[in-house]
Amino acid sequence: AGFEMRQALRPAAQTARPVAQTARPLALRRRLSTLHGGADALRKPYPPSHVLTLGEINPNVLSAQYAVRGELVQRAAAIKEEMAAGSANVPFKKVLECNIGNPQAVGQSPIGFNRQVLSLMVCPALLDQPGVDALFAPDAIARAKEYLAAIPSGVGAYSDSQGFRIVREQVADFISSRDGLPASPEDIFLTDGASKGVGFLLSLILRGGGSDGLLVPIPQYPLYSATLALQETHMLGYELDEAAGWSLPISLLEAELEDAQAKGVATRALVVINPGNPTGNSLPYDNMVECIDFCAKHGLVLMADEVYQENIWDGGRPFHSFKKVLMEMSPRPNLQLVSFHSTSKGFLGECGLRGGYFEIVGFDPEVKAQLLKLISIGLCSNTLGQIATGLMVQPPRPGDASYEIYSGERDAILASMKRRATMLVDGLNALEGVTCNQPQGAMYAFPSITLPPKAIAAAKDAGKVPDTFYALALLEATGIVVVPGSGFGQKEGTWHFRTTFLPPESEMTDVVDRMTAFHADFMGKYA
């Protein structure tokens, strides 16, 4: 109709065309109408849609395992959904997530000063509102203004790939104060938690192709085993000595390295987690010297995972950074060292903000440039996490308006953690067939369980690893979520589980009582 209307409005000279010519557009229109609609459309059907199958995805993803968020956590999530819907048939009223070091998820309050500054960074307009001085501490206001002056585009814009310069300077000052040694902001990289930094360094160091290896402690944090599986790299596990408080025998490192060489595996780096996860050990100074000598002797990068440096429970085993130990050695070995830290642990527990950093020592400038290029592919780490890192390393100082409140919150959290650690481990050691080292640091207990043969047989019949079988039964009976030791690696023939001591102190007695009752029933059932 529109075509015919246009034809009618045109001058006669323009409409006087041969019939075939004027009919052609109409015929074409009818043809297009047939093709694009109507019951008799000649549309060809699309081929059957194809979706990816497990056989078509990256096989390394299938082989990677991350026990901290594995089967136990998935079952716990299902139970919580059933409880919320009122359809759960369980003998408890609350699921207690002791599987992961996530303090605020189990009730820990955030540090007030840090959240005040973060609030002002997210909404700088608050600084201009009447009464802001009544809502925010003066030093929190001053800190926010200091950051905003250095970061005029605010936290909603990308930062430099290496991170905000002002925060890197604060991190360098923190390291210098901690170790009594100089540190440079040029050697600091801000990251989304420590885990992302670990991933960057492994991507830089490991060359792919299945010929490289990484020395990792057993037990280890599953971040390492999962990342190595994704990168087709050999995990060269060295077993910590449980009977000696999870000590690190250098002779085992030498043996593992020699065995790798015999198999044609090129060992690239040594990972040390200090304080330990999941073991809770804190390395003595002399043992750290041995680790440094070992890496320098064999040309290995030393990756020092130091995220629990604030969580020290044994005064006889104070925290020493690997950088400090290295710099105090004489003669000083030539060593490539990477040290990681995070806002997620310590007393802050700001896991969701994903703040962290790593410092490199002894790296070739050209390699450092390639590392920065690698990081720049992701543009930058999240900016609130960067600010949280700055607040971690530069807290209120004596004389600041917030210092008394801040130090009170910090000391109360750490003192409570220590009491909870003692309460939990004492309760575990009272159980039949259970032994557990007192944690010297970190947030975890890693008890050894002697399981009855009938329990091991029942686990096999159920298609489960024995410690997973035990942990699942614990969850179903008590609502307590732990992680089987098999997810971290353990000496052959032994069984463990990892539990945090992070539930509120008011609930810790209940946690121990639930575990005690369950364990007695379990051991009696399979006696």
Side-chain angles (χ1 to χ4, degrees):
F3 172 78
E4 291 166 352
M5 178 68 75
R6 289 192 298 273
Q7 288 293 95
L9 294 175
R10 287 178 182 176
Q14 291 181 325
T15 58
R17 296 177 181 174
V19 173
Q21 187 176 357
T22 57
R24 183 179 177 186
L26 182 60
L28 178 61
R29 181 170 65 84
R30 288 172 176 167
R31 174 61 176 162
L32 291 174
S33 176
T34 300
L35 289 173
H36 293 288
D40 297 327
L42 301 178
R43 184 182 299 164
K44 291 184 179 181
Y46 288 110
S49 61
H50 178 74
V51 295
L52 286 172
T53 66
L54 291 180
E56 294 173 313
I57 68 172
N58 183 343
N60 296 332
V61 174
L62 291 175
S63 63
Q65 300 293 326
Y66 191 66
V68 173
R69 291 287 179 94
E71 180 181 3
L72 269 294
V73 177
Q74 294 169 17
R75 176 56 188 147
I79 291 174
K80 287 197 290 185
E81 289 180 4
E82 293 167 6
M83 294 175 75
S87 60
N89 182 22
V90 292
F92 48 85
K93 296 181 180 180
K94 180 180 180 181
V95 172
L96 283 171
E97 294 171 311
C98 299
N99 59 296
I100 191 168
N102 193 12
Q104 294 185 31
V106 289
Q108 179 177 308
S109 297
I111 298 294
F113 173 82
N114 294 21
R115 287 302 180 91
Q116 288 186 43
V117 177
L118 288 166
S119 298
L120 293 169
M121 294 300 297
V122 171
C123 189
L126 290 172
L127 291 166
D128 300 322
Q129 296 300 310
V132 65
D133 294 341
L135 293 174
F136 296 92
D139 50 345
I141 292 173
R143 178 67 67 86
K145 289 181 176 179
E146 178 188 9
Y147 281 139
L148 290 168
I151 312 165
S153 55
V155 294
Y158 293 129
S159 74
D160 294 339
S161 294
Q162 201 166 338
F164 291 131
R165 174 81 188 192
I166 184 174
V167 175
R168 289 189 288 117
E169 289 173 347
Q170 291 173 340
V171 172
D173 289 344
F174 162 77
I175 294 171
S176 297
S177 176
R178 182 196 66 191
D179 296 339
L181 299 162
S184 169
E186 303 306 325
D187 296 328
I188 309 296
F189 295 77
L190 304 182
T191 55
D192 291 321
S195 299
K196 198 71 173 181
V198 169
F200 284 137
L201 264 296
L202 292 180
S203 294
L204 178 78
I205 295 168
L206 303 174
R207 297 167 295 184
S211 62
D212 282 352
L214 187 75
L215 284 163
V216 177
I218 298 295
Q220 52 93 31
Y221 183 54
L223 163 69
Y224 295 98
S225 54
T227 304
L228 296 183
L230 291 173
Q231 298 197 12
E232 294 186 281
T233 298
H234 297 272
M235 190 178 89
L236 310 175
Y238 60 92
E239 291 182 354
L240 303 177
D241 187 349
E242 183 172 11
W246 299 110
S247 64
L248 196 168
I250 298 301
S251 59
L252 289 183
L253 292 179
E254 293 285 1
E256 192 64 40
L257 181 66
E258 184 177 341
D259 184 62
Q261 290 173 338
K263 295 175 180 177
V265 175
T267 306
R268 305 286 288 162
L270 167 69
V271 172
V272 179
I273 307 173
N274 183 48
N277 176 13
T279 55
N281 63 312
S282 183
L283 292 180
Y285 190 98
D286 291 347
N287 202 183
M288 298 173 72
V289 169
E290 292 176 322
C291 291
I292 290 170
D293 279 336
F294 170 80
C295 288
K297 172 183 174 182
H298 296 290
L300 306 180
V301 176
L302 175 52
M303 298 178 64
D305 185 334
E306 299 177 336
V307 301
Y308 298 100
Q309 58 189 262
E310 297 284 351
N311 303 106
I312 297 296
W313 316 124
D314 183 348
R317 286 285 179 87
F319 171 77
H320 301 286
S321 74
F322 267 98
K323 180 183 179 183
K324 177 180 174 64
V325 175
L326 169 66
M327 295 302 177
E328 290 179 346
M329 293 174 67
S330 181
R332 183 186 305 166
N334 291 321
L335 180 72
Q336 297 173 96
L337 170 67
V338 192
S339 303
F340 303 91
H341 199 8
S342 169
T343 65
S344 301
K345 310 306 176 186
F347 56 90
L348 298 181
E350 292 285 15
C351 303
L353 291 179
R354 309 308 299 134
Y357 73 82
F358 64 83
E359 180 190 24
I360 59 174
V361 174
F363 275 65
D364 184 284
E366 292 183 348
V367 173
K368 180 179 172 182
Q370 293 301 308
L371 175 60
L372 181 57
K373 179 184 76 174
L374 174 64
I375 292 171
S376 69
I377 293 172
L379 298 176
C380 67
S381 61
N382 86 87
T383 54
L384 284 181
Q386 293 186 42
I387 298 299
T389 301
L391 296 168
M392 173 182 72
V393 298
Q394 192 177 100
R397 296 169 179 166
D400 291 348
S402 296
Y403 176 75
E404 294 299 329
I405 294 175
Y406 181 95
S407 59
E409 291 173 330
R410 176 198 63 205
D411 295 347
I413 291 169
L414 292 173
S416 177
M417 278 190 190
K418 185 174 182 178
R419 289 192 298 269
R420 283 176 277 169
T422 301
M423 192 183 309
L424 177 63
V425 173
D426 286 349
L428 290 169
N429 280 325
L431 303 181
E432 177 190 355
V434 175
T435 58
C436 186
N437 287 313
Q438 283 287 349
Q440 298 164 338
M443 298 177 170
Y444 315 101
F446 197 64
S448 173
I449 328 165
T450 301
L451 295 173
K454 288 184 180 179
I456 294 174
K460 183 177 180 182
D461 291 342
K464 303 292 183 186
V465 177
D467 52 13
T468 301
F469 181 77
Y470 177 92
L472 282 168
L474 174 68
L475 170 61
E476 299 289 349
T478 67
I480 297 172
V481 191
V482 298
V483 187
S486 49
F488 299 91
Q490 55 198 344
K491 187 175 182 178
E492 187 174 351
T494 66
W495 309 111
H496 300 77
F497 65 85
R498 188 191 78 167
T499 177
T500 71
F501 38 82
L502 294 177
E505 196 166 353
S506 59
E507 298 180 13
M508 190 56 70
T509 298
D510 181 53
V511 171
V512 174
D513 288 346
R514 286 199 226 178
M515 284 186 170
T516 300
F518 161 77
H519 188 78
D521 289 345
F522 184 92
M523 298 298 280
K525 179 179 180 180
Y526 295 105

